mmCIF file of all heavy atoms in Angstrom:
data_model
loop_
_atom_site.group_PDB
_atom_site.id
_atom_site.type_symbol
_atom_site.label_atom_id
_atom_site.label_comp_id
_atom_site.label_asym_id
_atom_site.label_seq_id
_atom_site.Cartn_x
_atom_site.Cartn_y
_atom_site.Cartn_z
ATOM 1 N N VAL A 251 -35.888 41.827 20.225
ATOM 2 C CA VAL A 251 -36.029 40.642 19.377
ATOM 3 C C VAL A 251 -37.491 40.197 19.369
ATOM 4 O O VAL A 251 -38.158 40.179 20.403
ATOM 5 C CB VAL A 251 -35.132 39.491 19.883
ATOM 6 C CG1 VAL A 251 -35.337 38.235 19.043
ATOM 7 C CG2 VAL A 251 -33.674 39.917 19.863
ATOM 8 N N ILE A 252 -37.988 39.842 18.197
ATOM 9 C CA ILE A 252 -39.363 39.369 18.046
ATOM 10 C C ILE A 252 -39.354 37.843 18.152
ATOM 11 O O ILE A 252 -38.742 37.157 17.335
ATOM 12 C CB ILE A 252 -39.956 39.817 16.703
ATOM 13 C CG1 ILE A 252 -39.874 41.343 16.581
ATOM 14 C CG2 ILE A 252 -41.405 39.355 16.573
ATOM 15 C CD1 ILE A 252 -40.181 41.869 15.188
ATOM 16 N N LEU A 253 -40.013 37.304 19.184
ATOM 17 C CA LEU A 253 -39.997 35.874 19.470
ATOM 18 C C LEU A 253 -41.203 35.180 18.856
ATOM 19 O O LEU A 253 -42.333 35.690 18.941
ATOM 20 C CB LEU A 253 -39.992 35.620 20.977
ATOM 21 C CG LEU A 253 -38.673 35.721 21.747
ATOM 22 C CD1 LEU A 253 -37.653 34.733 21.208
ATOM 23 C CD2 LEU A 253 -38.117 37.115 21.735
ATOM 24 N N HIS A 254 -40.970 34.001 18.279
ATOM 25 C CA HIS A 254 -42.039 33.177 17.708
ATOM 26 C C HIS A 254 -41.891 31.769 18.277
ATOM 27 O O HIS A 254 -41.187 30.933 17.711
ATOM 28 C CB HIS A 254 -41.947 33.143 16.181
ATOM 29 C CG HIS A 254 -41.930 34.481 15.523
ATOM 30 N ND1 HIS A 254 -43.077 35.120 15.093
ATOM 31 C CD2 HIS A 254 -40.894 35.309 15.222
ATOM 32 C CE1 HIS A 254 -42.745 36.285 14.537
ATOM 33 N NE2 HIS A 254 -41.428 36.417 14.613
ATOM 34 N N LEU A 255 -42.524 31.501 19.409
ATOM 35 C CA LEU A 255 -42.490 30.174 20.009
ATOM 36 C C LEU A 255 -43.542 29.278 19.361
ATOM 37 O O LEU A 255 -44.502 29.749 18.760
ATOM 38 C CB LEU A 255 -42.715 30.270 21.512
ATOM 39 C CG LEU A 255 -41.703 31.118 22.295
ATOM 40 C CD1 LEU A 255 -42.044 31.118 23.779
ATOM 41 C CD2 LEU A 255 -40.274 30.636 22.067
ATOM 42 N N GLU A 256 -43.312 27.963 19.489
ATOM 43 C CA GLU A 256 -44.193 26.962 18.868
ATOM 44 C C GLU A 256 -44.406 27.270 17.377
ATOM 45 O O GLU A 256 -45.484 27.120 16.849
ATOM 46 C CB GLU A 256 -45.531 26.892 19.606
ATOM 47 C CG GLU A 256 -45.375 26.463 21.066
ATOM 48 C CD GLU A 256 -46.702 26.316 21.786
ATOM 49 O OE1 GLU A 256 -47.274 25.213 21.734
ATOM 50 O OE2 GLU A 256 -47.170 27.321 22.382
ATOM 51 N N THR A 257 -43.316 27.675 16.761
ATOM 52 C CA THR A 257 -43.351 28.042 15.345
ATOM 53 C C THR A 257 -42.140 27.451 14.642
ATOM 54 O O THR A 257 -41.000 27.728 15.033
ATOM 55 C CB THR A 257 -43.349 29.569 15.157
ATOM 56 O OG1 THR A 257 -44.454 30.142 15.865
ATOM 57 C CG2 THR A 257 -43.452 29.937 13.691
ATOM 58 N N GLU A 258 -42.379 26.650 13.633
ATOM 59 C CA GLU A 258 -41.296 26.063 12.854
ATOM 60 C C GLU A 258 -41.171 26.768 11.515
ATOM 61 O O GLU A 258 -42.162 27.256 10.967
ATOM 62 C CB GLU A 258 -41.554 24.570 12.630
ATOM 63 C CG GLU A 258 -41.576 23.754 13.912
ATOM 64 C CD GLU A 258 -41.880 22.292 13.653
ATOM 65 O OE1 GLU A 258 -42.186 21.950 12.481
ATOM 66 O OE2 GLU A 258 -41.819 21.494 14.604
ATOM 67 N N VAL A 259 -39.953 26.810 11.011
ATOM 68 C CA VAL A 259 -39.730 27.329 9.661
ATOM 69 C C VAL A 259 -39.881 26.161 8.696
ATOM 70 O O VAL A 259 -39.141 25.179 8.773
ATOM 71 C CB VAL A 259 -38.333 27.963 9.531
ATOM 72 C CG1 VAL A 259 -38.089 28.385 8.089
ATOM 73 C CG2 VAL A 259 -38.213 29.161 10.466
ATOM 74 N N ASN A 260 -40.850 26.266 7.805
ATOM 75 C CA ASN A 260 -41.133 25.179 6.865
ATOM 76 C C ASN A 260 -40.337 25.270 5.573
ATOM 77 O O ASN A 260 -40.000 24.249 4.974
ATOM 78 C CB ASN A 260 -42.627 25.145 6.526
ATOM 79 C CG ASN A 260 -43.467 24.662 7.690
ATOM 80 O OD1 ASN A 260 -42.959 24.003 8.593
ATOM 81 N ND2 ASN A 260 -44.750 24.991 7.676
ATOM 82 N N ASP A 261 -40.034 26.489 5.147
ATOM 83 C CA ASP A 261 -39.343 26.634 3.865
ATOM 84 C C ASP A 261 -38.738 28.025 3.753
ATOM 85 O O ASP A 261 -39.162 28.964 4.432
ATOM 86 C CB ASP A 261 -40.316 26.398 2.706
ATOM 87 C CG ASP A 261 -39.618 25.904 1.448
ATOM 88 O OD1 ASP A 261 -38.373 25.756 1.478
ATOM 89 O OD2 ASP A 261 -40.300 25.672 0.434
ATOM 90 N N TYR A 262 -37.752 28.125 2.864
ATOM 91 C CA TYR A 262 -37.109 29.405 2.576
ATOM 92 C C TYR A 262 -36.513 29.318 1.181
ATOM 93 O O TYR A 262 -35.743 28.404 0.883
ATOM 94 C CB TYR A 262 -36.018 29.703 3.604
ATOM 95 C CG TYR A 262 -35.271 30.989 3.344
ATOM 96 C CD1 TYR A 262 -35.922 32.220 3.367
ATOM 97 C CD2 TYR A 262 -33.903 30.967 3.078
ATOM 98 C CE1 TYR A 262 -35.223 33.400 3.133
ATOM 99 C CE2 TYR A 262 -33.194 32.144 2.850
ATOM 100 C CZ TYR A 262 -33.871 33.356 2.879
ATOM 101 O OH TYR A 262 -33.170 34.521 2.640
ATOM 102 N N ASP A 263 -36.879 30.260 0.323
ATOM 103 C CA ASP A 263 -36.446 30.205 -1.071
ATOM 104 C C ASP A 263 -35.346 31.212 -1.397
ATOM 105 O O ASP A 263 -35.053 31.468 -2.561
ATOM 106 C CB ASP A 263 -37.642 30.414 -2.010
ATOM 107 C CG ASP A 263 -38.322 31.770 -1.825
ATOM 108 O OD1 ASP A 263 -37.777 32.622 -1.098
ATOM 109 O OD2 ASP A 263 -39.407 31.968 -2.407
ATOM 110 N N GLY A 264 -34.730 31.763 -0.361
ATOM 111 C CA GLY A 264 -33.699 32.768 -0.569
ATOM 112 C C GLY A 264 -34.225 34.181 -0.440
ATOM 113 O O GLY A 264 -33.450 35.139 -0.347
ATOM 114 N N ARG A 265 -35.543 34.298 -0.401
ATOM 115 C CA ARG A 265 -36.174 35.612 -0.291
ATOM 116 C C ARG A 265 -37.369 35.584 0.660
ATOM 117 O O ARG A 265 -37.528 36.475 1.489
ATOM 118 C CB ARG A 265 -36.643 36.068 -1.679
ATOM 119 C CG ARG A 265 -37.407 37.378 -1.702
ATOM 120 C CD ARG A 265 -36.511 38.565 -1.474
ATOM 121 N NE ARG A 265 -37.269 39.806 -1.452
ATOM 122 C CZ ARG A 265 -36.725 41.011 -1.524
ATOM 123 N NH1 ARG A 265 -35.417 41.123 -1.638
ATOM 124 N NH2 ARG A 265 -37.461 42.097 -1.474
ATOM 125 N N LYS A 266 -38.197 34.560 0.545
ATOM 126 C CA LYS A 266 -39.394 34.425 1.380
ATOM 127 C C LYS A 266 -39.226 33.262 2.341
ATOM 128 O O LYS A 266 -38.815 32.162 1.961
ATOM 129 C CB LYS A 266 -40.633 34.183 0.514
ATOM 130 C CG LYS A 266 -41.058 35.382 -0.329
ATOM 131 C CD LYS A 266 -41.825 36.392 0.496
ATOM 132 C CE LYS A 266 -42.419 37.485 -0.416
ATOM 133 N NZ LYS A 266 -43.179 38.486 0.370
ATOM 134 N N LEU A 267 -39.552 33.515 3.610
ATOM 135 C CA LEU A 267 -39.513 32.489 4.640
ATOM 136 C C LEU A 267 -40.936 32.140 5.036
ATOM 137 O O LEU A 267 -41.768 33.031 5.272
ATOM 138 C CB LEU A 267 -38.725 33.011 5.842
ATOM 139 C CG LEU A 267 -38.506 32.069 7.020
ATOM 140 C CD1 LEU A 267 -37.131 32.330 7.645
ATOM 141 C CD2 LEU A 267 -39.578 32.241 8.093
ATOM 142 N N TYR A 268 -41.231 30.840 5.116
ATOM 143 C CA TYR A 268 -42.579 30.371 5.400
ATOM 144 C C TYR A 268 -42.578 29.564 6.693
ATOM 145 O O TYR A 268 -41.719 28.708 6.898
ATOM 146 C CB TYR A 268 -43.095 29.508 4.248
ATOM 147 C CG TYR A 268 -43.064 30.200 2.903
ATOM 148 C CD1 TYR A 268 -41.926 30.136 2.100
ATOM 149 C CD2 TYR A 268 -44.151 30.937 2.449
ATOM 150 C CE1 TYR A 268 -41.884 30.780 0.869
ATOM 151 C CE2 TYR A 268 -44.121 31.584 1.219
ATOM 152 C CZ TYR A 268 -42.971 31.507 0.445
ATOM 153 O OH TYR A 268 -42.936 32.157 -0.782
ATOM 154 N N THR A 269 -43.560 29.828 7.567
ATOM 155 C CA THR A 269 -43.597 29.171 8.873
ATOM 156 C C THR A 269 -44.807 28.265 9.018
ATOM 157 O O THR A 269 -45.736 28.289 8.209
ATOM 158 C CB THR A 269 -43.627 30.210 10.013
ATOM 159 O OG1 THR A 269 -44.944 30.791 10.094
ATOM 160 C CG2 THR A 269 -42.595 31.296 9.797
ATOM 161 N N SER A 270 -44.790 27.483 10.093
ATOM 162 C CA SER A 270 -45.905 26.572 10.392
ATOM 163 C C SER A 270 -47.160 27.316 10.818
ATOM 164 O O SER A 270 -48.232 26.710 10.917
ATOM 165 C CB SER A 270 -45.481 25.598 11.496
ATOM 166 O OG SER A 270 -45.091 26.300 12.670
ATOM 167 N N GLN A 271 -47.041 28.618 11.086
ATOM 168 C CA GLN A 271 -48.197 29.434 11.451
ATOM 169 C C GLN A 271 -48.828 30.101 10.221
ATOM 170 O O GLN A 271 -49.614 31.048 10.363
ATOM 171 C CB GLN A 271 -47.783 30.508 12.466
ATOM 172 C CG GLN A 271 -47.198 29.959 13.759
ATOM 173 C CD GLN A 271 -48.178 29.150 14.557
ATOM 174 O OE1 GLN A 271 -49.377 29.388 14.510
ATOM 175 N NE2 GLN A 271 -47.692 28.148 15.277
#
Side-chain angles (χ1 to χ4, degrees):
V251 177
I252 304 169
L253 279 301
H254 305 268
L255 301 180
E256 298 183 89
T257 303
E258 297 178 354
V259 175
N260 289 339
D261 206 359
Y262 178 63
D263 61 9
R265 176 73 182 193
K266 291 281 188 180
L267 183 145
Y268 304 88
T269 75
S270 58
Q271 301 296 330

